[in-house]
Amino acid sequence: MENQVLVAGAGPVGLTMALELARYGVAVRIIDRIADAEHSSRAVAVWPRTLELLDRSGVSRELVERGNKVTVANILSGGKPVASISLEKIPSPYPFVLMVPQYETEAVLRDRLAGYGVVPQRGVELLAFDQDEAGVSARLRAADGTESSERFSWLVACDGAHSVVRHLLGLDFKGDTLGLDWTQGDFHLSGYPFPSTQMAVFYHADGPLLFFPMAPDRARVITSLGPATGVPPAALDQQAFQKLIEARGPGGITLAGTVWTSAFHINERQVESYRSGRVFLAGDAAHIHSPAGGQGMNTGIQDAINLAWKLAQVSLGKAAGTAMLDSYDVERRPVGAQVIEASGRMTRMATLSNTALQHLRDVMVHLLLGVPPVQRALTGLMSEVSVGYPESPLNGPPLGSAKPGSRVPPVAGTPPFGSGRAPLFAACGGAGAASLATRFPGLVEVRQPLPGSEDLLSLVRPDGYLAAQGPDEDWVLMVPLLTRLQGND
Ligand SMILES: Cc1cc2nc3c(=O)[nH]c(=O)nc-3n(C[C@H](O)[C@H](O)[C@H](O)COP(=O)(O)OP(=O)(O)OC[C@H]3O[C@@H](n4cnc5c(N)ncnc54)[C@H](O)[C@@H]3O)c2cc1C
């Protein structure tokens, strides 16, 4: 269909992309080459900013009901406490990291998507594509093996780490493979020395051991296997995990059943551009990194949310393509790079092999994480509530002290920014806000002034980032920004 977006890949990122587009009334088709949905638990951590953003489509409440809230992260070394990080002070309605298996996250997204009449077409593979100024011609192979060529307005590649779209575009996926092999599993267990609201990292000379509780008697356990051998590592069985837990852990933990295990090595790679004409890359197709910090799926979901409202405004004729769609790469690529850097640093710190450096690390981590601003900076980074887009071409002029591009926290008692059926900017203010909405019907809605900025007009994007803020009576100063986005300038 000519005016339809093709989403390739029905993992968490593709499902989020399709859901956001469908919610905003954009025709979307989502395909996945695998006939059946994945049932392995893979990414288990859902961080506060992801929950804030998924609240716009009503997903978060259901996810929270299915997951386990973790509010403390303990770090221990040689059996002694090194640091304890509290997540409860994260400035969000979701001050915790939610542990929920990825198949549950995908199931909730799929259910919501079905509510808009869109069902992923399983067993349908994207084989190739061509693009021109007007659209994308995609070669698809259906589940019965028949091939067809179909036309779409845009293609969003959510086709994972081995993205065929990225290969076909010839885009570089620069980066490295880290030197250790890893194994992980979800187990039933007893004797975990913390409540199920607390996760734990045990530093050990032979390699770290991590516990992410998913229920009082169930946890994700991750540990390193040693230097990479060059062949894909094999997952350990329960008995072998038990041995490593006894050697590296606090003692007293007994594994009582295996839900799922896997093994992996860590790649740190990022694609050179998130956009190529009418084709966009999101999620693992664009960036892969260490699972330390559990950021992969979260960053991918936030890629999708960043792109979807822009693509919706352009598809629905509310905004012109250039500035709006170019901003996706400008905003999200630095975030991906930052996640790769931070998760890589955490992994390298946890896997130091030199005894003197291990000791120094323990001292530094203890000292630094004892300083509240350092804890705040770390939890802000991990929860992604400190992510912002200061260099965005969508930012208006700085009219006051607020920084365009910064996150606007959800406002209690009001619907999330960007919720509902239209991708609207929120003009939060008084008479000036009303004038702005009248000037840009279908693009801007009026809302109450933001708490703490009662005299100001704050223009908030559909994904909850500040586009501009200034005195309410100076609303005309925001007109050029919206005019430019509409493409009338
Ligand atoms: C074994 C394993 C364990 C993991 N563990 C963790 C973890 O502990 N913590 C963590 O944060 N992250 C983990 N991850 C990573 C996490 O699962 C990913 O970050 C997340 O799934 C990214 O979502 P995505 O939608 O971008 O890609 P994916 O979930 O990979 O989805 C891509 C989809 O695209 C489909 N597809 C591919 N090519 C085509 C095509 N040509 N046509 C149509 N469809 C196509 C695939 O079938 C797949 O369903 C793990 C990943 C794996 C594989």
Side-chain angles (χ1 to χ4, degrees), residues 143-209:
D144 64 4
T146 53
E147 291 186 16
S148 61
S149 190
E150 303 194 31
R151 190 85 177 145
F152 298 91
S153 51
W154 307 94
L155 166 62
V156 188
C158 305
D159 51 347
H162 303 288
S163 170
V164 70
V165 175
R166 193 183 64 232
H167 287 296
L168 290 168
L169 288 170
L171 291 173
D172 238 359
F173 201 38
K174 277 202 197 98
D176 290 313
T177 303
L178 301 193
L180 295 177
D181 284 340
W182 295 77
T183 186
Q184 64 177 346
D186 294 351
F187 296 99
H188 295 289
L189 46 75
S190 61
Y192 180 61
F194 296 103
S196 59
T197 52
Q198 301 195 9
M199 59 196 206
V201 178
F202 297 93
Y203 288 155
H204 188 274
D206 297 337
L209 176 70

Side-chain angles (χ1 to χ4, degrees), residues 9 12-13 32-34 42 102 126 158-159 164 184 220 284:
V13 177
D32 198 294
R33 71 174 173 196
I34 307 288
R42 299 183 288 156
Q102 185 170 321
L126 173 68
C158 305
D159 51 347
V164 70
Q184 64 177 346
R220 163 70 54 91
D284 278 17

Side-chain angles (χ1 to χ4, degrees), residues 386-412:
S386 59
V387 165
Y389 308 124
E391 307 300 332
S392 173
L394 305 189
N395 289 345
L399 301 171
S401 58
K403 292 193 181 81
S406 55
R407 159 183 166 268
V408 179
V411 179

